[in-house]
C-alpha cells in the first residue's frame, strides 16, 4: 500500500466509496461528444481534468515543487495509480528544455478502445497538465504525442511552456 493516501475527507459516499466505473466515465465522454461535438467536448474534458490536476497537486504538496521526477512520479503513481484513484499509471516524467514529457499507461481515456482508434486523451491529459502547471508554476499547453491505441507502449503527453 502507498504512503500517500487520498484524505478521508474526500470520502463522498459512505457505502459505495469514491470510485465509479470506466463504463460510466466512457458514457460521460461519448454523451458529451454527442451533445457538444468532439472538439467542444475535448475542450470541456481537458478543462475539467486540469482543474482536478491542480487540486491534486495542492493536496499532494507539489505546488511550486519544481520538476523532480522521482518525487513527482512516486506521488502521482500513488495518487492516480492502483492505490489511488486509478486514473492511470505514470511511469516517467522527463523535462526536456521547455517541454515536459509524461509517460502513462492504462489511462481511463484509452480503456476499452480498439487498437487503431483515434481516441485522444482528454480528461487524463488535462489532469496531468493541471498537476504540472502547479508543480512548475507556469502555464502549459498539453498534447498527446504517442498513443497505446496506435502502437506505442505508452500514452505520452507533451507539455510545452507558454510565454
Amino acid at each position: 500500500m502507498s504512503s500517500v493516501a487520498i484524505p478521508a475527507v474526500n470520502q463522498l459516499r459512505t457505502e459505495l466509496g469514491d470510485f465509479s466505473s470506466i463504463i460510466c466515465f466512457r458514457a460521460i465522454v461519448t454523451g458529451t461528444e454527442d451533445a457538444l461535438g468532439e472538439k467542444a467536448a475535448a475542450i470541456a474534458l481537458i478543462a475539467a481534468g486540469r482543474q482536478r490536476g491542480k487540486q491534486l497537486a495542492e493536496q499532494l504538496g507539489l505546488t511550486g515543487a519544481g520538476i523532480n521526477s522521482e518525487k513527482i512520479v512516486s506521488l502521482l503513481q500513488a495518487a492516480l495509480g492502483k492505490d489511488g484513484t486509478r486514473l492511470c499509471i505514470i511511469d516517467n516524467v522527463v523535462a526536456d528544455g521547455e517541454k515536459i514529457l509524461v509517460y502513462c499507461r492504462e489511462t481511463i481515456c484509452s480503456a476499452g478502445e480498439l487498437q487503431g482508434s483515434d481516441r485522444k486523451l482528454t480528461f487524463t491529459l488535462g489532469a496531468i497538465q493541471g498537476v504540472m502547471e502547479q508543480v512548475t508554476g507556469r502555464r502549459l499547453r498539453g498534447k498527446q504525442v504517442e498513443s497505446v491505441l496506435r502502437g506505442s507502449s505508452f500514452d505520452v503527453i507533451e507539455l510545452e511552456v507558454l510565454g
Side-chain angles (χ1 to χ4, degrees):
M1 188 69 164
S2 165
S3 61
V4 175
I6 303 300
V9 294
N10 286 347
Q11 185 75 21
L12 301 176
R13 299 187 296 184
T14 57
E15 290 185 51
L16 293 177
D18 291 348
F19 300 103
S20 182
S21 73
I22 291 173
I23 295 164
C24 291
F25 178 81
R26 286 175 51 101
I28 292 168
V29 170
T30 58
T32 303
E33 289 172 347
D34 288 347
L36 301 177
E38 189 175 321
K39 287 183 181 183
I43 290 167
L45 291 165
I46 290 168
R50 204 168 144 251
Q51 181 63 32
R52 172 63 187 130
K54 288 180 176 191
Q55 293 168 347
L56 179 63
E58 290 173 12
Q59 287 174 339
L60 297 175
L62 290 173
T63 301
I67 300 291
N68 172 345
S69 64
E70 282 187 32
K71 179 180 181 182
I72 291 169
V73 169
S74 65
L75 287 174
L76 291 179
Q77 281 178 347
L80 299 176
K82 67 180 184 176
D83 293 331
T85 63
R86 298 178 181 228
L87 179 72
C88 65
I89 297 171
I90 305 235
D91 286 302
N92 204 3
V93 176
V94 178
D96 181 19
E98 290 292 302
K99 295 182 180 178
I100 301 165
L101 298 173
V102 181
Y103 293 80
C104 18
R105 58 191 165 87
E106 293 201 30
T107 63
I108 195 166
C109 295
S110 296
E113 288 290 322
L114 297 174
Q115 281 299 308
S117 167
D118 64 354
R119 172 76 53 202
K120 293 178 180 66
L121 302 181
T122 53
F123 185 82
T124 304
L125 182 146
I128 301 302
Q129 180 177 331
V131 166
M132 299 312 287
E133 284 180 346
Q134 291 297 105
V135 165
T136 63
R138 301 181 82 181
R139 181 78 166 106
L140 303 170
R141 176 184 301 132
K143 67 179 177 181
Q144 183 177 1
V145 294
E146 292 184 39
S147 174
V148 297
L149 300 174
R150 294 177 288 285
S152 180
S153 298
F154 299 95
D155 283 319
V156 180
I157 298 169
E158 178 183 274
L159 300 161
E160 181 179 6
V161 176
L162 297 177

